[in-house]
Amino acid sequence: MSLTGKHILSSDLFDRDELERLFELADLLVPVARGEQVTRVLEGAVMASLFFEASTRTRLSCESAFLRLGGAVTSTTGTGVTSISKGESLADTARVVGGYCDLVVMRHPEVQSIHDFAGATNVPVVNAGNGAGEHPTQALLDMFTLHREFDRLGKSMDGRRIALVGDLLHGRTVHSLMKLLTRYEGLTIACVSPAELGMPAELLELAAARGHQVEVSDKPAIALREADVVYATRLQTERFADKPVPYSDDFRIDRALVERVCTADAVIMHPLPRDSRSGSNDLATDLNSDPRLAIFRQTDNGIPTRMALFASVLGVVDEIRSSLRTASWYRPAFTGPDDAPFYRR
Ligand code: ASP
């Protein structure tokens, strides 16, 4: 299947072959993402980034990815500053913006939004989060992170135990991730959440139908044992009509819990942002210097993954290899003071 010209609205679009093709390309683009090499395959192309909901990582990394490919970016954030505040439909906005650019990245608080938008333009649209629906580019970077982490650890993806923890009802990143995980073989997927925030039934059924072992639990301390991957998520407070009840202490993934129940080579992930306010019981900051914590390797991986996706959607993949040249500007040997020794250059 070719991704060229396609709207990327759901992670369902990607089967295992497609994922492996994308990861091979993303591996090639890691030095470009790190500022060690340069490519200009999208010189002259324009991306429009429309974020009608809060974002730090997704917007900046999509924009950086497009810029690192040599393209240009035009963007708007919030609805207050666009004509949507004057009653313009998303379909009209889509037709207009499609005339200004070659690719659109869009985030919106409503699930249906991305479908209405993409239906009104033939310019490829990438879903950067549609309410509690999906977040396919986050799931792609999460899978690319697993591809690199398991490569380092000498493990394969098949047969692993994956624990997804937190607000699995509203967490769009885990919805998209579930669909990608099911493309592999023989996984045990433990969905660990407060009872009222469980993974939607159709995703549990999809995983079971594709031959995976599915466990549903509200006990992280038990479900995390022997897990190859712990994927924690934030309580999606913005999706509740009333004030949400915070996670109980059981859902606080901190150094004490990890030391007690996790294996020495577990990969600990989170799509971020983590809620670091006291009482939030999210992924704790006392794990920052634990090399098992992969959250900033995940964010770094967002750039090559999104570069690979944009290059594929705009049909310039075959030009990349011959276009690469060495960059000459300064870059530190490693980005964060807590970066794991194996992650330093
Ligand atoms: N950044 C992710 C998202 O936009 C996760 C989160 O907000 O909790 O869905």
Side-chain angles (χ1 to χ4, degrees), residues 44-330:
V46 175
M47 174 185 117
S49 96
L50 307 183
F51 279 73
F52 301 120
E53 194 183 64
S55 172
T56 307
R57 270 152 295 275
T58 307
R59 184 166 73 85
L60 291 186
S61 70
C62 282
E63 294 182 0
S64 289
F66 209 83
L67 293 165
R68 291 264 196 217
L69 289 167
V73 173
T74 176
S75 68
T76 183
T77 52
T79 47
V81 293
T82 67
S83 289
I84 288 179
S85 67
K86 302 179 191 168
E88 184 169 68
S89 69
L90 271 176
D92 277 5
T93 306
R95 171 60 190 88
V96 170
V97 175
Y100 299 160
C101 67
D102 304 291
L103 181 137
V104 182
V105 174
M106 208 268 274
R107 169 173 288 187
H108 194 284
E110 280 154 33
V111 173
Q112 182 55 32
S113 59
I114 196 76
H115 305 285
D116 295 345
F117 190 95
T121 177
N122 290 332
V123 166
V125 174
V126 175
N127 181 4
N130 57 325
E134 280 213 46
H135 194 344
T137 68
Q138 174 73 44
L140 289 172
L141 79 86
D142 291 338
M143 291 307 303
F144 179 60
T145 299
L146 289 181
H147 152 83
R148 289 183 72 90
E149 296 287 313
F150 285 165
D151 198 41
R152 175 175 63 77
L153 294 167
K155 291 181 174 182
S156 84
M157 186 68 211
D158 296 324
R160 297 287 146 224
R161 178 178 175 82
I162 319 281
L164 305 175
V165 186
D167 183 352
L168 307 183
L169 177 65
H170 304 106
R172 56 193 173 196
T173 71
V174 283
H175 299 164
S176 288
L177 186 56
M178 273 295 267
K179 293 181 180 176
L180 295 187
L181 288 171
T182 64
R183 299 299 191 177
Y184 293 81
E185 303 283 326
L187 302 182
T188 300
I189 306 177
C191 293
V192 195
S193 66
E196 61 283 16
L197 300 176
M199 181 69 79
E202 67 270 20
L203 290 169
L204 297 174
E205 284 156 18
L206 176 75
R210 290 187 177 162
H212 302 284
Q213 192 87 25
V214 178
E215 294 175 8
V216 174
S217 141
D218 61 358
K219 305 263 176 313
I222 296 171
L224 264 55
R225 280 185 201 282
E226 303 305 319
D228 297 284
V229 180
V230 175
Y231 189 102
T233 62
R234 176 180 68 89
L235 184 67
Q236 305 285 295
T237 45
E238 66 276 36
R239 306 281 174 234
F240 291 79
D242 301 320
K243 207 170 168 337
V245 180
Y247 290 151
S248 73
D249 293 351
D250 293 350
F251 281 81
R252 182 177 165 79
I253 298 181
D254 59 7
R255 196 196 298 186
L257 178 70
V258 167
E259 289 301 327
R260 191 156 55 85
V261 304
C262 289
T263 60
D265 61 1
V267 178
I268 302 172
M269 299 170 68
H270 192 298
L272 301 181
R274 53 182 163 169
D275 189 340
S276 300
R277 290 170 290 196
S278 77
S280 64
N281 291 328
D282 200 332
L283 182 68
T285 51
D286 67 358
L287 282 165
N288 282 5
S289 58
D290 189 320
R292 289 173 286 187
L293 190 75
I295 57 176
F296 299 118
R297 299 194 288 280
Q298 266 175 285
T299 52
D300 287 353
N301 286 336
I303 304 286
T305 308
R306 288 171 170 131
M307 290 176 81
L309 181 68
F310 297 152
S312 303
V313 169
L314 291 180
V316 295
V317 170
D318 293 344
E319 295 161 43
I320 291 178
R321 205 174 282 274
S322 61
S323 74
L324 296 172
R325 56 193 163 82
T326 306
S328 55
W329 58 82
Y330 163 80

